[in-house]
């Protein structure tokens, strides 16, 4: 592998922007950024290979940075699905709690009064079931009773 400095010559394509960045302390020294990008990206992979490619000609400059999470994302999704399935299997919801969840999914801003009306139950019954689901971490309320919304975990 060639060093980054050998691959791309350091040339200020926009001297005005370079001057502004230097004055604002966003630029340490001319040409140091490409090596930092390469070193920090390659450190994410920790496999001794180069995962950053630079291309430059008189018209444009192109950087390709490979994703260190590629391939791991699907594995994490599978693990999360397994964990969530186990957790969800251990949490038993009553029929009314399932109905409350469905109403919240359809309308996250729904009020307790509206839920009671739609389900034909009194507000105390709805409030009690909501409290139980909050205690189990199944749902939470963000914001006020009038302008807030429900989050289903």
């Amino acid at each position: 592998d060639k060093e980054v400095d050998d691959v791309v010559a350091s040339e200020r394509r926009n001297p005005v922007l370079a001057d502004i960045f230097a004055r604002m302390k966003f630029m340490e020294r001319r040409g140091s950024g490409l090596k930092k990008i390469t070193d920090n990206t390659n450190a994410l992979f920790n496999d001794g290979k180069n995962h950053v490619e630079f291309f430059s000609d008189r018209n444009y400059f192109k950087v390709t940075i490979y994703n260190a999470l590629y391939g791991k994302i699907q594995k994490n999704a599978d693990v999360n699905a397994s964990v969530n399935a186990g957790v969800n299997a251990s949490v038993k919801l009553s029929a009314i709690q399932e109905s409350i969840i469905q109403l919240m999914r359809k309308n996250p801003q729904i009020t307790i009064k509206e839920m009671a009306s739609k389900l034909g139950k009194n507000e105390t019954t709805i409030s009690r079931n909501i409290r139980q689901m909050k205690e189990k971490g199944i749902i939470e309320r963000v914001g006020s009773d009038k302008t807030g919304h429900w989050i289903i975990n």
Side-chain angles (χ1 to χ4, degrees), residues 134-147:
K134 281 181 177 178
E135 288 170 358
K136 292 177 183 177
I138 298 167
I139 60 170
E140 60 185 277
R141 180 76 178 179
V142 176
S144 72
D145 289 342
K146 288 187 178 184
T147 61

Side-chain angles (χ1 to χ4, degrees), residues 119-137:
L119 296 175
K121 303 288 182 183
N122 64 46
E123 291 180 39
T124 305
T125 301
I126 301 298
S127 295
R128 182 180 63 251
N129 281 280
I130 286 174
R131 186 184 70 250
Q132 291 169 355
M133 289 190 289
K134 281 181 177 178
E135 288 170 358
K136 292 177 183 177

Side-chain angles (χ1 to χ4, degrees), residues 93-101 119 121 125-126 129 133:
L93 298 178
S94 67
I96 190 166
Q97 290 173 343
E98 290 283 353
S99 298
I100 290 169
I101 295 282
L119 296 175
K121 303 288 182 183
T125 301
I126 301 298
N129 281 280
M133 289 190 289

Side-chain angles (χ1 to χ4, degrees), residues 40-52:
N40 289 330
T41 300
N42 289 338
L44 294 172
F45 288 87
N46 196 26
D47 63 1
K49 297 178 185 174
N50 184 31
H51 298 277
V52 181

Side-chain angles (χ1 to χ4, degrees), residues 46-87:
N46 196 26
D47 63 1
K49 297 178 185 174
N50 184 31
H51 298 277
V52 181
E53 295 175 3
F54 298 98
F55 175 81
S56 177
D57 66 18
R58 293 301 308 161
N59 298 317
Y60 72 99
F61 180 77
K62 175 179 153 186
V63 180
T64 303
I65 301 174
Y66 293 93
N67 186 347
L69 297 177
Y70 184 76
K72 294 180 184 178
I73 293 171
Q74 183 58 44
K75 291 176 190 171
N76 288 342
D78 292 343
V79 168
N80 288 342
S82 297
V83 169
N84 288 340
V87 169

Side-chain angles (χ1 to χ4, degrees), residues 99-111:
S99 298
I100 290 169
I101 295 282
Q102 291 306 318
L103 289 174
M104 289 176 177
R105 281 194 175 115
K106 288 179 187 173
N107 178 8
Q109 288 79 29
I110 194 166
T111 65

